[in-house]
């Protein structure tokens, strides 16, 4: 029997996360540029300089950008991001060519069972708390003062004043922290990250689309389309195509000088919040993003630990990249 996708609060998160469109998601994670950085580091360690791994690493979030409940975005988003054990491995198992395996390597690196998302929202590596790094920092942001010279009002109180309940305020803080880290990585660790992310979205990584369909179309059709594989394939293809446009925007935004990047992302977030009925001043969101950058001052250690953690996890599960001139090794 067909079931409709995400719960209302999960749809709200998707709306917050989008940069162009209204879409739902299933988990709190690193933002896409951070995932691209992590897998790019893993590829570099193996002697690769390949945009395919980068595109694969951001692809699991493509259903963040789908809002229509008839497309069951919550269910398919859980599948791609690895909320359920081993669903993300469908892409690795379906890969046959070297190109497909490079794309699949990036895709698998993202998962929340033992990949990048596990660090972001389940098991912080360096902050000494039993929670994900993004969640820890989002809570700190809500308790931070909007104006350090007037510490009476926190961002949590400011968001409440905009009509947000605690869950909605926390979702907003999550998105702001994620974007703040994207900006800091681009400015301080990888000055070409934004351009490389945009290039990955424009490049011949379009080979990912048939691989994605091959991996998920049967289960997606059975769950959401009454067994109609053509309808399921069309939905998967459209989601992947839309995700490319959004990643081009994100890459271009974080490539701008820091104040411009913050302005662009804050304006986009203001527009998305308005779709939910919240009139959030751009200045409040900008202040929150700058505050989040300071709160995440220890992000480099966490990202470096995440690279090591994800690399070890991939090897432990038999997912490795060989030297560039050879074929990839599959589990």
């Amino acid at each position: 029997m067909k079931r409709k996708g995400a719960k209302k609060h999960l749809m709200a998160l998707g709306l917050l996360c989008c940069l162009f469109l209204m879409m739902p998601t299933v988990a709190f994670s690193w933002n896409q540029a951070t995932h691209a950085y992590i897998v790019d580091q893993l590829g570099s360690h193996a002697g690769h300089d390949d945009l395919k791994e980068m595109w694969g690493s951001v692809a699991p979030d493509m259903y963040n950008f789908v809002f229509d409940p008839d497309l069951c975005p919550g269910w398919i988003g859980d599948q791609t991001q690895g909320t359920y054990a081993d669903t993300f491995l469908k892409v690795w198992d379906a890969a046959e060519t070297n190109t497909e395996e490079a794309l699949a390597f990036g895709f698998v690196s993202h998962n929340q069972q033992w990949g990048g998302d596990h660090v972001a929202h389940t098991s912080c590596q360096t902050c000494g708390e039993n929670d994900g790094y993004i969640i820890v920092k989002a809570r700190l942001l809500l308790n931070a003062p909007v104006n350090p010279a007037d510490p009476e009002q926190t961002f949590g109180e400011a968001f409440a004043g905009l009509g947000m309940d605690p869950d909605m305020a926390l979702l907003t803080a999550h998105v702001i922290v994620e974007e703040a880290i994207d900006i800091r990585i681009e400015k301080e660790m990888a000055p070409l990250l934004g351009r490389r992310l945009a290039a990955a979205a424009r490049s011949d990584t379009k080979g990912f689309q048939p691989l994605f369909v091959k991996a998920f179309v049967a289960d997606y059709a059975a769950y959401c389309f009454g067994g109609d594989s053509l309808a399921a394939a069309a939905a998967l293809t459209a989601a992947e195509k839309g995700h490319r446009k959004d990643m081009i925007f994100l890459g271009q935004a974080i490539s701008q000088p820091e104040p411009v990047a913050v302005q662009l992302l804050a304006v986009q977030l203001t527009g998305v919040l308005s779709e939910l009925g919240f009139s959030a001043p751009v200045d409040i969101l900008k202040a929150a993003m700058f505050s989040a950058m300071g709160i995440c001052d220890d992000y480099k250690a966490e990202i470096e630990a995440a690279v090591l953690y994800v690399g070890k996890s991939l090897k432990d599960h038999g997912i490795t990249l060989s030297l560039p001139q050879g074929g990839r090794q599959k589990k």
Side-chain angles (χ1 to χ4, degrees), residues 118-120 122-133 136 302:
H118 183 75
V119 175
T122 301
S123 181
C124 175
Q125 301 296 291
T126 64
C127 60
E129 297 192 37
N130 293 322
D131 224 331
Y133 184 86
V136 169
E302 185 68 12

Side-chain angles (χ1 to χ4, degrees), residues 63 71 217 220-221 224-237:
Y63 268 83
L71 301 178
V217 70
Y220 192 31
C224 195
F225 294 93
D228 187 342
S229 294
L230 290 177
L236 293 170
T237 299

Side-chain angles (χ1 to χ4, degrees), residues 191-258:
L192 296 179
L193 178 61
R195 276 174 273 185
R196 283 175 56 75
L197 176 58
R202 293 190 183 103
S203 75
D204 62 2
T205 57
K206 291 181 176 61
F208 180 80
Q209 197 173 92
L211 172 64
F212 184 58
V213 171
K214 180 168 57 173
F216 285 105
V217 70
D219 289 342
Y220 192 31
Y223 183 90
C224 195
F225 294 93
D228 187 342
S229 294
L230 290 177
L236 293 170
T237 299
E240 203 262 1
K241 183 177 179 180
H243 195 49
R244 289 182 181 275
K245 293 191 296 183
D246 297 313
M247 293 303 96
I248 290 169
F249 173 77
L250 176 60
Q252 291 174 336
I254 66 173
S255 296
Q256 301 301 312
E258 183 178 288

Side-chain angles (χ1 to χ4, degrees), residues 9-293:
H9 72 281
L10 297 179
M11 288 182 177
L13 174 61
L15 286 170
L16 291 173
C17 290
C18 79
L19 298 174
F20 278 122
L21 307 172
M22 296 185 300
M23 314 156 196
T25 187
V26 293
F28 305 117
S29 64
W30 301 116
N31 208 36
Q32 289 87 9
T34 303
H35 276 293
Y37 175 81
I38 290 171
V39 80
D40 193 40
Q41 292 299 295
L42 295 173
S44 296
H45 295 166
H48 290 258
D49 182 18
D50 197 341
L51 297 179
K52 296 179 182 66
E53 287 94 355
M54 292 183 73
W55 181 252
S57 75
V58 303
D61 282 339
M62 71 178 69
Y63 268 83
N64 292 2
F65 306 105
V66 176
F67 188 63
D68 184 355
D70 286 340
L71 301 178
C72 306
W75 182 84
I76 188 65
D78 279 339
Q79 296 281 304
T80 62
Q81 293 180 6
T83 302
Y84 306 126
D86 295 339
T87 55
F88 53 91
L89 287 175
K90 293 175 184 177
V91 171
W92 180 255
D93 293 337
E96 296 175 331
T97 67
N98 285 355
T99 292
E100 286 182 336
E101 289 178 3
L103 292 161
F105 179 88
F107 189 92
V108 172
S109 75
H110 186 115
N111 80 84
Q112 65 175 298
Q113 293 293 317
W114 43 258
D117 274 1
H118 183 75
V119 175
H121 59 79
T122 301
S123 181
C124 175
Q125 301 296 291
T126 64
C127 60
E129 297 192 37
N130 293 322
D131 224 331
Y133 184 86
I134 294 297
I135 294 175
V136 169
K137 298 302 182 179
R139 289 173 179 154
L140 289 175
L141 177 60
L142 290 178
N143 290 320
V146 173
N147 180 358
D150 181 18
E152 293 301 315
Q153 186 186 42
T154 65
F155 284 107
E157 291 167 340
F159 293 160
L162 299 174
M164 297 183 190
D165 64 21
D167 288 340
M168 193 64 189
L170 187 59
L171 297 180
T172 304
H174 281 176
V175 175
I176 290 169
V177 168
E178 291 165 4
E179 293 180 342
I181 294 171
D182 273 3
I183 294 172
R184 289 201 65 169
I185 290 176
E186 213 276 344
K187 302 308 170 195
E188 300 167 3
M189 297 178 74
L192 296 179
L193 178 61
R195 276 174 273 185
R196 283 175 56 75
L197 176 58
R202 293 190 183 103
S203 75
D204 62 2
T205 57
K206 291 181 176 61
F208 180 80
Q209 197 173 92
L211 172 64
F212 184 58
V213 171
K214 180 168 57 173
F216 285 105
V217 70
D219 289 342
Y220 192 31
Y223 183 90
C224 195
F225 294 93
D228 187 342
S229 294
L230 290 177
L236 293 170
T237 299
E240 203 262 1
K241 183 177 179 180
H243 195 49
R244 289 182 181 275
K245 293 191 296 183
D246 297 313
M247 293 303 96
I248 290 169
F249 173 77
L250 176 60
Q252 291 174 336
I254 66 173
S255 296
Q256 301 301 312
E258 183 178 288
V260 178
V262 170
Q263 175 76 19
L264 287 169
L265 296 179
V267 168
Q268 291 295 327
L269 183 53
T270 296
V272 172
L273 285 169
S274 72
E275 296 290 339
L276 293 172
F278 301 107
S279 182
V282 172
D283 286 347
I284 288 287
L285 300 181
K286 286 170 60 178
M289 201 166 296
F290 282 119
S291 180
M293 289 181 186

